[in-house]
Amino acid sequence: MSEITMKAGKARSASAVLNRLSTNQKNDALQLMADSLRNHKDDIIAANQEDLERGRAQGTSPSLLDRLALNPQRIEAIAEGLEQIIMLPDPVGDVLDSFERPNGLQITKVRVPLGVIGIIYEARPNVTVDAAGLCLKAGNAVVLRGGSSALSSNRKIVEVLHSALSASPLPADAIQLIESADRSSVDEMLKLNGMLDVIIPRGGQSLIRNVVENATVPVIETGAGICHTYVDETAEPAMAEAIAVNAKVQRPSVCNSMETLLVNTRFAAAHLEHLADQLKNSGVEIRGCTETVKLIPWAVPAEEQDFATEYNDYILNIKLVDTLDEAMDHISRFSTKHSECIVTENTAIAERFLQEVDAAAVYHNASTRFTDGFEFGFGAEIGISTQKLHARGPMGLPALTSTKYIIHGNGQIRG
Amino acid sequence: MSEITMKAGKARSASAVLNRLSTNQKNDALQLMADSLRNHKDDIIAANQEDLERGRAQGTSPSLLDRLALNPQRIEAIAEGLEQIIMLPDPVGDVLDSFERPNGLQITKVRVPLGVIGIIYEARPNVTVDAAGLCLKAGNAVVLRGGSSALSSNRKIVEVLHSALSASPLPADAIQLIESADRSSVDEMLKLNGMLDVIIPRGGQSLIRNVVENATVPVIETGAGICHTYVDETAEPAMAEAIAVNAKVQRPSVCNSMETLLVNTRFAAAHLEHLADQLKNSGVEIRGCTETVKLIPWAVPAEEQDFATEYNDYILNIKLVDTLDEAMDHISRFSTKHSECIVTENTAIAERFLQEVDAAAVYHNASTRFTDGFEFGFGAEIGISTQKLHARGPMGLPALTSTKYIIHGNGQIRG
């Protein structure tokens, strides 16, 4: 039996126990996990050093090494993350619907755990704890497959979490770490129907593509964000400028940052030069359509492919459009359906945009950077779904549950 | 460009129009479709005759020919099915959540159409109309790929529906029929990410397996049903007998019928003989475990594989168990997580079963045959989901929708 089959089997058995635990029992286990991480932070940092040294020897980039690195402050933040999960309401057992049929059947629809959740991610050791904490709180066992460059850190973290769980009613088997660095372990995991109930990929585009294209287990797709902001003719210039600059530069590396600014030609004639200067002052390279370059001679001419690119960087496409429809056509063609924004003082135009643009989150007069579990008030999130099934947008604990119909009868049979 | 790519593209364009239509506009279109089916029933029956003659010439089984056959009564029933869909509430636009954040952002979660739904099914021409009607009512375009043995019927039906839509604001392109009988057209459809938002397979196990194993488009898995009934020691004998007989014989060919009866040994000692006689009188062949065969000498000894078989026929496995845990272990091992039942007068035992058994529908003292959109009061259903993501159990119109966050701001940017 392979490592992944064996560990998924253990997770499946643990999930049957988890399903029966109370909210207090789960919260107590999460607190033990947080305490244990704090108590063993030196061990974890030592294991993390092994990963960092290996990474440096292999010429890993400084930004990837930074994502991988742990220090006392980061471990404290991870432990506090678990304590935030304790504060979140437990979705399991919530009654979503309840009704009686004419034949007397009492039908109740309740939230239940999904069962066993697979998480495939890259070299961020904090995901190991965040994902485990969220899955456990929603009553699920979790099978973690992190990037091999973080293996020493992840192995130590999971060892610490297991020791914490051994003092709780929650079975240690509820958290499984796949240690094989072999790519075939991922391939096998993607096809474990019946053992895994869902796989959530967290990471870059190529990781997500691989999971979506090869999984037979249901997947929740997350993360891809080619987000647009459309500045309408009637936009208030200072507001448009503040929103555009914020959506681009407040944190360019994340999925809800803006990649393309669409500007109404009449607004552009009066205000684009000033707006572009503000972006330039923030360090943004502008790639403009032909009309943009006429107004902003220092802009780089945009290629068609630029509009289909998620830069996650200080680069922004600007395209001028004559109408709302032209803006929406462009969005419909290039959007990844994550977050889209219109800046306008015209309510009718705003309402058309909000209704017709197909995305997880559509904004009127606010930065796309708000698409986030914390900003929406959901607490911690497991990711931002960019698909339409099951969950769309920031996913809090309810996204990690399914439902079940419980039917009470007194002998009803079907006629 | 292939047929499927071209037609999915037309459906995608139509879905943008559908998204904007009112409930009345959609209902008017559904009524025109029903009227048109009635007005053209002779043409449809003539086209259906072509399919039937081809089927007979190819030696198609009588039961498959019966599923394929249309007559005036069946066409009237199909038209009435559309009229029932008109009566269902439109889920699109429903506000599921609405809240204000401390920074003043107004966040509303609303139901929106999924977009374009692919349906892959077998030789039942009624599915062509039912599926189109349900998808359109929920604001979705639909790409239909029916069995090639029903192609003449489906082509005529879709022609009739298109002519009806041409007199409505609903674009005719919202209903697309894939006519290629080539298996590769299905393979291509399964990978049309970005064009199709979801694929729902409707049919037998091999059709569903092929879709689940090969699709990269998200799938809603439906239909597999190895359903169990557990008769506890304290079950009321007459009730247990009525429920068991009903769950097996009221309509053995469907997914919510029972395949295995688990009987507590103490109940069996007193009542199994009588219960088995009732099943035998209804024409049921019994395959029993060793202990069952001791009590019912005429039962066929069951093989291990029998417990993993969805007979959809007048065949029933019977297994004796000593405890609730033994019954739940068996269910956990062989269940397809569709519908599971316990018959008992012991409330504590019932509650354990209802909480711990993992299935779309769990019953106390009622037949599993009730797992059905009509029986649950949802009106028509697109299928019964046996997966845990997005929708579980009978799927009414809300299962054909997604959600969207609409955010109203007044210039908020992220700090």
Side-chain angles (χ1 to χ4, degrees):
Chain A
M1 190 184 288
S2 70
E3 183 200 8
I4 169 76
T5 309
M6 184 193 68
K7 290 186 172 176
K10 287 183 178 180
R12 164 84 32 220
S13 301
S15 77
V17 179
L18 265 166
N19 178 42
R20 298 195 291 268
L21 297 183
S22 70
T23 302
N24 283 342
Q25 288 175 309
K26 291 184 285 190
N27 285 342
D28 289 348
L30 291 168
Q31 187 61 58
L32 289 168
M33 285 162 59
D35 296 343
S36 194
L37 288 170
R38 290 187 178 108
N39 293 339
H40 294 87
K41 66 173 182 297
D42 295 340
D43 299 342
I44 294 169
I45 289 170
N48 185 244
Q49 282 300 326
E50 293 172 27
D51 287 330
L52 289 170
E53 278 161 29
R54 196 161 11 91
R56 277 186 214 106
Q58 291 170 349
T60 304
S61 75
S63 71
L64 284 180
L65 288 174
D66 180 60
R67 291 182 186 192
L68 175 57
L70 293 175
N71 56 36
Q73 295 72 38
R74 287 188 176 184
I75 292 175
E76 175 57 28
I78 291 170
E80 284 172 9
L82 286 175
E83 287 164 346
Q84 286 168 0
I85 294 171
I86 293 172
M87 306 300 289
L88 297 177
D90 183 351
V92 174
D94 282 358
V95 173
L96 302 183
D97 203 359
S98 185
F99 50 96
E100 181 173 331
R101 299 293 301 151
N103 60 7
L105 285 181
Q106 304 276 352
I107 304 183
T108 305
K109 183 179 186 178
V110 298
R111 276 201 195 280
V112 297
L114 277 168
V116 183
I117 297 177
I119 313 272
I120 298 179
Y121 56 108
E122 291 169 339
R124 289 175 177 272
N126 62 308
V127 174
T128 306
V129 183
D130 295 349
L134 287 164
C135 290
L136 295 187
K137 177 72 181 249
N140 302 289
V142 64
V143 177
L144 301 161
R145 208 292 188 177
S148 52
S149 54
L151 184 57
S152 298
S153 313
N154 287 337
R155 201 183 267 149
K156 177 56 70 180
I157 288 171
V158 169
E159 184 189 316
V160 166
L161 299 180
H162 279 170
S163 72
L165 293 183
S166 66
S168 86
L170 208 146
D173 277 346
I175 302 175
Q176 297 291 334
L177 177 72
I178 303 306
E179 302 191 15
S180 164
D182 198 338
R183 172 73 175 261
S184 69
S185 68
V186 170
D187 296 342
E188 198 183 340
M189 186 168 168
L190 297 179
K191 300 192 188 296
L192 276 188
N193 298 60
M195 303 283 270
L196 301 181
D197 293 292
V198 59
I199 290 176
I200 304 175
R202 286 185 58 171
Q205 282 283 60
S206 70
L207 182 149
I208 292 171
R209 270 298 103 208
N210 178 50
V211 170
V212 168
E213 282 169 16
N214 296 301
T216 52
V217 173
V219 171
I220 300 179
E221 194 172 346
T222 65
I226 297 180
C227 303
H228 301 77
T229 299
Y230 170 53
V231 178
D232 179 47
E233 180 177 4
T234 66
E236 205 281 294
M239 186 194 291
E241 200 168 283
I243 288 174
V245 171
N246 185 261
K248 182 70 252 182
V249 310
Q250 197 256 346
R251 198 171 170 201
S253 64
V254 292
C255 58
N256 57 19
S257 65
M258 169 178 62
E259 306 297 3
T260 297
L261 180 68
L262 301 165
V263 186
N264 184 281
T265 43
R266 291 168 295 284
F267 182 94
H271 307 292
L272 185 60
E273 203 175 346
H274 190 266
L275 173 49
D277 282 343
Q278 300 309 305
L279 288 160
K280 190 184 187 186
N281 291 344
S282 301
V284 177
E285 172 190 324
I286 289 178
R287 303 196 183 169
C289 68
T290 318
E291 296 306 309
T292 300
V293 175
K294 286 182 191 162
L295 293 172
I296 316 291
W298 52 268
V300 179
E303 310 280 335
E304 175 83 359
Q305 183 55 31
D306 290 332
F307 293 107
T309 302
E310 184 177 1
Y311 297 118
N312 285 339
D313 204 347
Y314 288 86
I315 306 172
L316 177 70
N317 304 312
I318 298 185
K319 182 179 173 180
L320 303 200
V321 295
D322 286 327
T323 61
L324 171 67
D325 284 299
E326 197 183 336
M328 293 199 298
D329 283 347
H330 180 95
I331 291 171
S332 158
R333 192 158 156 224
F334 293 104
S335 163
T336 54
K337 303 185 179 180
H338 188 300
S339 299
E340 307 294 349
C341 167
I342 185 168
V343 185
T344 182
E345 296 297 306
N346 181 322
T347 309
I349 291 226
E351 289 307 316
R352 263 200 72 203
F353 183 94
L354 296 173
Q355 201 205 332
E356 295 182 24
V357 170
D358 184 18
V362 285
Y363 289 85
H364 176 210
N365 290 351
S367 168
T368 55
R369 286 281 295 115
F370 287 107
T371 306
D372 174 281
F374 284 103
E375 295 296 329
F376 275 27
F378 301 164
E381 65 173 37
I382 193 84
I384 296 173
S385 165
T386 51
Q387 68 179 36
K388 292 189 186 173
L389 285 193
H390 187 68
R392 197 178 194 200
M395 293 188 289
L397 288 176
L400 299 178
T401 65
S402 182
T403 59
K404 176 198 228 176
Y405 288 102
I406 295 177
I407 301 107
H408 285 280
N410 49 20
Q412 283 84 351
I413 59 173
R414 193 156 163 191
Chain B
M1 191 183 288
S2 69
E3 182 199 12
I4 170 76
T5 310
M6 184 192 69
K7 289 185 173 175
K10 286 184 179 180
R12 165 84 29 219
S13 302
S15 77
V17 180
L18 264 165
N19 178 43
R20 297 196 290 269
L21 297 183
S22 69
T23 303
N24 282 342
Q25 287 175 309
K26 292 184 285 190
N27 285 343
D28 289 348
L30 290 168
Q31 188 61 60
L32 289 168
M33 286 162 58
D35 297 343
S36 193
L37 288 170
R38 290 188 178 106
N39 293 338
H40 294 88
K41 67 173 182 295
D42 294 341
D43 298 343
I44 294 169
I45 289 169
N48 184 245
Q49 282 300 325
E50 293 172 27
D51 287 330
L52 290 170
E53 277 162 30
R54 195 159 14 89
R56 278 187 215 105
Q58 291 169 350
T60 304
S61 75
S63 71
L64 283 181
L65 288 174
D66 180 59
R67 290 183 187 191
L68 175 58
L70 293 175
N71 56 36
Q73 294 73 37
R74 287 188 176 184
I75 292 175
E76 175 57 27
I78 291 170
E80 284 171 10
L82 287 175
E83 287 164 346
Q84 285 167 0
I85 294 170
I86 292 172
M87 306 301 289
L88 297 177
D90 183 350
V92 174
D94 281 358
V95 172
L96 302 183
D97 204 358
S98 186
F99 50 96
E100 181 173 331
R101 298 293 301 151
N103 61 7
L105 285 181
Q106 305 275 351
I107 303 183
T108 306
K109 184 179 185 178
V110 297
R111 275 201 195 280
V112 297
L114 277 168
V116 183
I117 298 176
I119 313 272
I120 299 179
Y121 55 108
E122 291 169 338
R124 290 176 176 271
N126 62 308
V127 173
T128 306
V129 182
D130 294 350
L134 286 163
C135 290
L136 295 186
K137 177 71 182 249
N140 302 289
V142 65
V143 177
L144 301 161
R145 208 289 187 178
S148 52
S149 55
L151 184 57
S152 298
S153 312
N154 287 338
R155 200 183 268 148
K156 177 56 71 178
I157 287 171
V158 169
E159 183 188 315
V160 166
L161 299 180
H162 279 170
S163 73
L165 293 183
S166 67
S168 87
L170 208 147
D173 276 346
I175 303 175
Q176 297 291 334
L177 177 72
I178 304 305
E179 302 190 14
S180 164
D182 197 338
R183 172 73 175 261
S184 71
S185 68
V186 170
D187 296 341
E188 198 183 340
M189 186 168 168
L190 297 179
K191 300 192 188 296
L192 276 187
N193 297 60
M195 304 283 271
L196 301 182
D197 293 292
V198 59
I199 290 177
I200 304 175
R202 287 185 57 170
Q205 282 283 59
S206 70
L207 182 148
I208 292 171
R209 270 297 104 206
N210 178 51
V211 170
V212 168
E213 282 170 16
N214 295 301
T216 53
V217 174
V219 170
I220 301 179
E221 194 172 347
T222 65
I226 298 181
C227 303
H228 302 75
T229 299
Y230 170 53
V231 178
D232 179 48
E233 181 177 2
T234 66
E236 206 280 295
M239 186 194 290
E241 199 168 286
I243 287 174
V245 171
N246 186 260
K248 181 70 252 181
V249 309
Q250 198 256 345
R251 198 171 170 201
S253 64
V254 294
C255 57
N256 58 19
S257 65
M258 170 177 61
E259 307 295 4
T260 296
L261 180 67
L262 301 165
V263 186
N264 184 281
T265 45
R266 292 167 294 282
F267 182 94
H271 308 294
L272 184 60
E273 204 176 343
H274 189 267
L275 172 49
D277 282 342
Q278 300 309 305
L279 288 160
K280 191 182 186 186
N281 292 344
S282 301
V284 177
E285 172 190 324
I286 289 179
R287 303 196 183 170
C289 69
T290 317
E291 297 305 309
T292 300
V293 175
K294 285 181 192 164
L295 294 172
I296 317 290
W298 51 267
V300 179
E303 310 279 336
E304 175 83 0
Q305 182 55 33
D306 290 332
F307 293 107
T309 302
E310 185 176 1
Y311 297 118
N312 285 338
D313 203 348
Y314 287 86
I315 307 173
L316 176 69
N317 304 312
I318 298 185
K319 182 179 173 181
L320 302 201
V321 295
D322 285 328
T323 61
L324 172 65
D325 283 299
E326 197 184 336
M328 293 199 297
D329 284 347
H330 180 95
I331 291 172
S332 158
R333 193 159 155 222
F334 293 104
S335 163
T336 54
K337 304 184 179 182
H338 187 300
S339 298
E340 307 295 347
C341 167
I342 185 169
V343 186
T344 183
E345 295 298 305
N346 182 322
T347 309
I349 291 225
E351 289 308 315
R352 264 200 71 201
F353 183 93
L354 296 173
Q355 200 204 333
E356 295 182 24
V357 170
D358 184 19
V362 285
Y363 289 85
H364 175 211
N365 290 350
S367 168
T368 56
R369 286 280 295 114
F370 287 108
T371 306
D372 174 281
F374 284 103
E375 294 296 329
F376 275 27
F378 301 164
E381 65 173 37
I382 194 85
I384 296 173
S385 166
T386 51
Q387 69 179 35
K388 293 190 186 172
L389 285 194
H390 187 69
R392 197 178 194 199
M395 294 189 287
L397 288 176
L400 298 179
T401 65
S402 182
T403 59
K404 175 197 229 176
Y405 288 102
I406 295 178
I407 301 108
H408 286 280
N410 48 21
Q412 283 85 350
I413 60 174
R414 193 158 163 190

